[in-house]
Amino acid sequence: MDAVIDNIDVILRGFGATLLVTLLALVLAVVLGTATACFRVSPLKPLSAVGTAYVGMVRNTPLTVIFFMVVFGTPEVGLNASFTAFAVVALGVYTGPFIGEVLRSGIQGLHTGQGEAARSLGMSFGQSLRYVILPQAARDVVAPLGNVCIATLKNSSVAMAFGVFEATAAGYTLANANATAVIQILAAVAVGYLCLTSLAAVAIETVEHRVRIVR
Amino acid sequence: MSTLLYDEPGPVTRARLRSWSVVALLVIGLAVGLVCWRLWGQGQFEEDLWAPFLDEPALRTGLVGGLVGTLQAAAMAMALALVVGFAVAVARLSPSRVVQAAGATFVWFFRGPPLLILILFFFLAFPMAFDIDITPFWALVLGLMLYNGAVLAEVIRAGVLALPRGQEEAAVALGMRRGTTLRYVLLPQAVRNMLPAVISQMVILVKDTSLGFVVSYGELLRYGNTAIQVLDNPIQMYLVVALIFIAINMSLSRVAHALEKNPVASGLRRRRTVAESR
Amino acid sequence: MPTLVELRQVNKYFGEHHVLKDVSLTVDTGQVIVVVGPSGSGKSTLCRTINRLEAIDSGEILVEGTPLPTEGAALARLRSNVGMVFQSFNLFPQYTARENVALAPVKVKGVKPSVARERATDLLNRVGLAEHADKLPARLSGGQQQRVAIARALAMEPKVMLFDEPTSALDPEMINEVLDVMKDLVAQGMTMVVVTHEMGFARSAADRVVFMDDGRIAEACDPEDFFTAPRTERARDFLSRILPH
Ligand SMILES: Nc1ncnc2c1ncn2[C@@H]1O[C@H](COP(=O)(O)OP(=O)(O)OP(=O)(O)O)[C@@H](O)[C@H]1O
Ligand SMILES: [Mg+2]
């Protein structure tokens, strides 16, 4: 236990980096995901094909492979950045399609009749989207989006292998340095993650409950 | 046909869609062209970066070896995770509060933290705290087992809970005991219902085996890492590795899809359901 | 009375499937047309072509003498003049009954929100739902939801109302409350095209009964003639199956 208490600042600093990488990656992922969702529901075949290809490829590729591509591939074409920036890009690119699919199924999961009713009243495409479809889809995606956020928090641990000193890296380093307290240290880090994911789950549940509409 | 978002296009819309499609194609082409131009400018299309994949037998043997390592770890982890998941699901469905709580805690605890923490736990804690030697293979597999066991427990439980209540009532009415009900009536149907979800989880598991590189387990990605030290072609290598993963996972997804869609299978399912509920 | 809606030689395919075959039909202002026929005969499709929820492959549809617009703002404007009531209500679940009714007038016609709300209240009153105005659709029964849907369509002050089996999704005890609202509309002279299996309504409210069979209008006549002396074998067959003996 002493090893944990003595090094609590290192662990907390690690979680700070974890949160930073997670949040920045999520920002990038939301941008990419929104674009992907728009592409995939677009009536333009080339765009929906690009969206489908991006989703199909990235979702079937391990996050670690994407990390390697970003961290060792981009310098090959003369692009360099910090480890943290690389981690954010890799995690964001990986998470984008998951967010895109959540958004897309939030829209396409609605009953066709909703769109038909809106159009039958004389609404344009934009109006039916804005007043009828998106308000419903937005409520439906809260829980699945929350799950993607939690998964991203956990996935950010892969960044430990790519020079980012986040929580898992902190645990790994401390464990190696304190052979007698390996279990306590790794357990402390695990509990840290559990706190964050459980907290996020409660927050999502609360929001979801508040915005839910009964049909 | 009209859809949620769009009307059936009229002539003007159709013409407009056609011209915008051309514009989109041009923009996409331009983007791809720019990327290629950049790659080319940086010498990424040079032959010696690509040729080894075709004419270097050692590289191919190595990649195949890595692939075998990936598949071995994935298969072992999946088998163990199914056993664990099944046991935990049964615990969660048990009438005893205590056993239920134990199952729920297991799921919460092993699904919460990152998989990597579990792998590192086996990798570091076993030799350092318990003085048990553990190979990278087992550190990876045991980590995968616990994490995916927790996830699959939920999949299996949901599959059982999704069964129509009537099935259970019918079984109870026939005088079956709880265990018998679970075993002969609920589980066989649940297994068929949750197969697609199980296969999706398998895709995730296959991807997660690549975390093995952290504990130096000899799988596909790690082989790629070693090979680029000699070949110095990270972009090409990771592209090939990614394509192999994509190929494996897409085939798995296709199987799941076929199982979901196959009218013969689902017809069979209905018929068997009737037979089993008797 | 002037012709309000006219279909000329309309043909419609779903892929290979020929669903509307040379359908011609005129609906005069103030007329109530009831469309009946066996399942799959193309009744819904016919109804939905009139506001172009289904596009047609050949033929012509005229509303007030002008061809049905195929897209864009013109189509939206046309639709705001053609009310549609669906079998599955399709109320917007995130809005209260009143908001459902007031939404389109405000957003599409630019009516002032306060005016639209007032009118929505009046309309809900008219369909007997004054005390439910502030409820979400999920809190209403099927019959009440369908009446809100009718009020929502009426709020656009349509020239013609299309009903696609408005009572088919309802429990028997709720059918009459919806039919009563529809009869009210008939009494006020609304032009209506109604797809329904409610033969009582057809008999009492229709100016003309259109019997569809396999994508064709097999018979179009006075309701009394249709029910007492159907001309085609198919119609006799249909009536014998659907009417209580
Ligand atoms: N979107 C569609 N795609 C393909 N076929 C369709 C589609 N909609 C309807 N059909 C087919 O067109 C035919 C006519 O359908 P329609 O819904 O108009 O029949 P209906 O007379 O309204 O029947 P019901 O009384 O069952 O509502 C049917 O054979 C139906 O299967
Ligand atoms: Mg119909």
Side-chain angles (χ1 to χ4, degrees):
Chain A
M1 217 47 224
D2 286 351
V4 173
I5 293 165
D6 289 346
N7 293 301
I8 196 76
D9 56 323
V10 179
I11 295 176
L12 287 179
R13 208 153 10 97
F15 275 110
T18 290
L19 285 175
L20 181 74
V21 169
T22 304
L23 290 178
L24 291 179
L26 280 174
V27 171
L28 175 60
V30 165
V31 173
L32 289 173
T34 309
T36 312
C38 292
F39 275 30
R40 287 206 72 182
V41 302
S42 149
L44 301 178
K45 287 273 158 54
L47 290 191
S48 58
V50 167
T52 309
Y54 173 48
V55 171
M57 279 177 359
V58 173
R59 282 220 302 191
N60 287 308
T61 307
L63 173 58
T64 34
V65 174
I66 292 178
F67 258 98
F68 275 110
M69 279 185 172
V70 171
V71 175
F72 296 104
T74 49
E76 291 290 310
V77 292
L79 299 171
N80 276 296
S82 71
F83 284 136
T84 307
F86 275 150
V88 166
V89 170
L91 194 53
V93 166
Y94 178 77
T95 311
F98 290 92
I99 296 215
E101 284 302 274
V102 166
L103 298 180
R104 184 186 67 87
S105 46
I107 290 173
Q108 292 187 335
L110 299 180
H111 196 287
T112 314
Q114 291 292 313
E116 290 184 344
R119 277 179 270 137
S120 294
L121 288 164
M123 290 193 202
S124 63
F125 172 73
Q127 286 171 328
S128 60
L129 206 60
R130 179 157 164 218
Y131 302 120
V132 176
I133 291 165
L134 290 184
Q136 291 183 54
R139 291 165 160 93
D140 291 348
V141 298
V142 170
L145 270 188
N147 289 336
V148 174
C149 292
I150 291 179
T152 307
L153 178 84
K154 295 197 276 174
N155 282 337
S156 70
S157 61
V158 175
M160 75 158 282
F162 299 90
V164 180
F165 196 78
E166 45 66 77
T168 306
Y172 184 73
T173 314
L174 290 175
N176 270 316
N178 299 274
T180 50
V182 179
I183 294 179
Q184 292 90 319
I185 287 167
L186 288 179
V189 175
V191 167
Y193 276 109
L194 271 174
C195 289
L196 287 177
T197 51
S198 304
L199 219 80
V202 170
I204 294 156
E205 173 83 27
T206 313
V207 174
E208 207 265 337
H209 199 79
R210 193 158 300 168
V211 299
R212 177 162 36 200
I213 30 170
V214 196
R215 281 182 241 260
Chain B
M1 226 188 73
S2 84
T3 61
L4 174 72
L5 293 176
Y6 308 110
D7 271 314
E8 213 166 313
V12 177
T13 312
R14 255 196 305 270
R16 206 176 288 157
L17 287 179
R18 251 196 312 273
S19 31
W20 279 108
S21 290
V22 172
V23 173
L25 266 179
L26 287 178
V27 172
I28 294 164
L30 197 71
V32 172
L34 270 174
V35 170
C36 287
W37 183 65
R38 177 93 200 189
L39 287 171
W40 186 80
Q42 301 285 330
Q44 291 299 323
F45 286 122
E46 266 158 44
E47 203 192 327
D48 55 342
L49 297 178
W50 296 90
F53 293 106
L54 296 175
D55 55 18
E56 191 61 68
L59 176 57
R60 256 180 299 165
T61 331
L63 281 175
V64 170
L67 180 59
V68 169
T70 294
L71 294 179
Q72 272 174 343
M76 178 62 87
M78 189 68 196
L80 292 176
L82 277 171
V83 173
V84 170
F86 177 81
V88 175
V90 169
R92 291 213 63 187
L93 292 166
S94 127
S96 149
R97 283 275 166 76
V98 181
V99 180
Q100 266 179 37
T105 311
F106 181 94
V107 171
W108 175 75
F109 190 78
F110 289 112
R111 219 173 45 161
L115 167 59
L116 200 46
I117 291 277
L118 294 176
I119 296 171
L120 289 177
F121 178 83
F122 285 109
F123 189 63
L124 296 180
F126 267 57
M128 288 162 87
F130 307 124
D131 221 2
I132 301 171
D133 265 340
I134 188 165
T135 59
F137 174 83
W138 284 106
L140 174 64
V141 165
L142 291 177
L144 284 169
M145 173 191 80
L146 286 183
Y147 184 81
N148 289 283
V151 176
L152 286 173
E154 288 301 275
V155 170
I156 294 170
R157 190 174 79 107
V160 172
L161 290 181
L163 289 172
R165 297 265 336 141
Q167 298 290 330
E168 191 175 347
E169 278 155 19
V172 172
L174 288 174
M176 291 191 191
R177 291 202 7 259
R178 225 197 123 70
T180 322
T181 317
L182 206 60
R183 189 155 149 223
Y184 291 106
V185 182
L186 296 182
L187 275 175
Q189 294 177 52
V191 164
R192 260 170 249 123
N193 292 342
M194 64 208 172
L195 216 50
V198 169
I199 293 183
S200 318
Q201 190 56 33
M202 218 156 130
V203 169
I204 296 171
L205 189 150
V206 168
K207 293 200 294 179
D208 282 347
T209 50
S210 66
L211 287 173
F213 90 93
V214 175
V215 294
S216 318
Y217 172 62
E219 44 71 65
L220 187 56
L221 180 58
R222 183 173 145 79
Y223 178 77
N225 284 340
T226 323
I228 57 173
Q229 318 242 310
V230 183
L231 297 171
D232 197 24
N233 60 347
I235 292 183
Q236 294 73 10
M237 182 63 72
Y238 293 128
L239 196 66
V240 169
V241 170
L243 287 176
I244 295 174
F245 273 109
I246 290 170
I248 301 172
N249 288 331
M250 285 205 161
S251 341
L252 277 175
S253 304
R254 189 144 306 166
V255 171
H257 207 67
L259 286 172
E260 240 172 325
K261 284 277 157 74
N262 187 345
V264 177
S266 53
L268 221 72
R269 186 181 314 160
R270 223 166 299 125
R271 228 168 305 134
R272 285 217 202 108
T273 306
V274 173
E276 274 153 9
S277 59
R278 280 192 197 117
Chain C
M1 277 290 180
T3 299
L4 189 57
V5 180
E6 183 172 4
L7 284 79
R8 292 184 188 154
Q9 301 287 309
V10 168
N11 282 281
K12 161 85 188 163
Y13 295 81
F14 283 118
E16 292 286 287
H17 192 17
H18 199 171
V19 185
L20 293 181
K21 300 172 180 167
D22 286 327
V23 171
S24 296
L25 178 72
T26 56
V27 185
D28 293 341
T29 305
Q31 238 185 2
V32 177
I33 308 278
V34 169
V35 183
V36 300
S39 183
S41 56
K43 307 181 298 289
S44 298
T45 310
L46 171 71
C47 195
R48 289 159 56 89
T49 56
I50 298 174
N51 69 352
R52 206 184 175 278
L53 282 180
E54 303 290 356
I56 58 175
D57 294 300
S58 70
E60 245 187 318
I61 298 178
L62 307 168
V63 178
E64 292 188 300
T66 41
L68 188 68
T70 49
E71 58 212 316
L75 177 60
R77 215 169 310 117
L78 177 280
R79 282 172 171 168
S80 69
N81 285 323
V82 178
M84 176 112 193
V85 176
F86 300 87
Q87 181 176 349
S88 50
F89 329 136
N90 294 338
L91 290 178
F92 306 135
Q94 74 271 37
Y95 300 128
T96 63
R98 199 199 322 267
E99 289 165 344
N100 263 281
V101 178
L103 180 69
V106 173
K107 302 304 179 190
V108 176
K109 282 185 152 178
V111 176
K112 262 181 43 191
S114 56
V115 178
R117 279 179 64 83
E118 224 167 276
R119 248 190 75 65
T121 311
D122 288 348
L123 281 166
L124 287 171
N125 223 337
R126 204 167 127 191
V127 299
L129 292 171
E131 68 275 33
H132 299 292
D134 293 312
K135 287 188 184 164
L136 290 174
R139 303 272 326 276
L140 301 173
S141 74
Q144 292 170 331
Q145 289 191 51
Q146 192 61 295
R147 285 185 281 155
V148 175
I150 294 173
R152 178 176 71 176
L154 288 174
M156 295 301 283
E157 301 175 311
K159 299 192 168 122
V160 51
M161 290 274 287
L162 309 173
F163 293 83
D164 185 6
E165 302 202 23
T167 58
S168 294
L170 297 178
D171 291 336
E173 73 269 21
M174 296 171 185
I175 290 178
N176 278 325
E177 65 190 53
V178 172
L179 289 180
D180 286 345
V181 168
M182 291 168 62
K183 284 177 191 159
D184 244 29
L185 282 178
V186 174
Q188 285 165 32
M190 174 61 78
T191 312
M192 296 166 44
V193 176
V194 184
V195 177
T196 187
H197 291 295
E198 293 300 322
M199 293 303 148
F201 177 84
R203 211 160 180 158
S204 67
D207 292 305
R208 203 140 49 96
V209 172
V210 167
F211 174 69
M212 289 204 66
D213 183 42
D214 193 27
R216 283 180 210 285
I217 295 190
E219 216 164 311
C221 56
D222 187 80
E224 220 31 62
D225 293 347
F226 179 73
F227 287 108
T228 52
R231 273 169 304 184
T232 57
E233 181 63 33
R234 294 287 306 192
R236 270 194 292 278
D237 195 46
F238 174 73
L239 284 173
S240 74
R241 265 181 294 121
I242 203 156
L243 290 179
H245 315 274

